[in-house]
Amino acid sequence: MTKAEEVNCRLVNISEGGLAITGTPALKAGTQVSVLFMLPGQSPRFRIEAEICWRDENGRAGLRSLMIPSEQRPVLQRWLAAKLEEDLPESVARQFRK
């Protein structure tokens, strides 16, 4: 893979600390990449600098976030918090509302 090559893959998990993707080419652990993506329901495109931590034989890979632009960090944090709240069982969510 050349330095400036673009690759389309599917984002399957995201956190502030990193992300998981699938459909990856032969990426090597330790490779630094720029990841461009949009979150569902959000209009800004995110560009995160990341490092490949692992890749398996099924084309899945884990990336560690190295740099999230400061203006995008709060947008990502709000989106993640909203998704967490949506996915919490009601019995757990009640504990946080007290």
Side-chain angles (χ1 to χ4, degrees):
M1 193 162 79
T2 64
K3 184 175 182 174
E5 183 178 348
E6 288 187 17
V7 176
N8 289 319
C9 44
R10 185 168 182 249
L11 180 63
V12 293
N13 193 340
I14 186 165
S15 71
E16 282 187 75
L19 36 106
I21 58 177
T22 188
T24 64
L27 300 171
K28 293 182 181 178
T31 302
Q32 291 189 4
V33 296
S34 290
V35 181
L36 184 64
F37 63 92
M38 289 178 65
L39 295 170
Q42 299 290 313
S43 58
R45 293 172 66 124
F46 287 80
R47 180 178 297 276
I48 293 177
E49 301 301 317
E51 179 180 16
I52 307 298
C53 295
W54 59 267
R55 183 183 180 280
D56 68 15
E57 62 280 350
N58 296 319
R60 296 176 297 204
L63 290 74
R64 178 174 59 98
S65 298
L66 297 175
M67 199 281 296
I68 300 172
S70 59
E71 67 276 3
Q72 290 185 323
R73 185 175 298 276
V75 176
L76 178 59
Q77 289 171 335
R78 282 191 301 273
W79 187 86
L80 289 168
K83 293 305 289 177
L84 177 62
E85 190 172 317
E86 285 175 17
D87 294 342
L88 278 178
E90 184 57 31
S91 60
V92 174
R94 273 195 302 267
Q95 300 299 315
F96 289 100
R97 291 187 195 120
K98 292 182 176 182

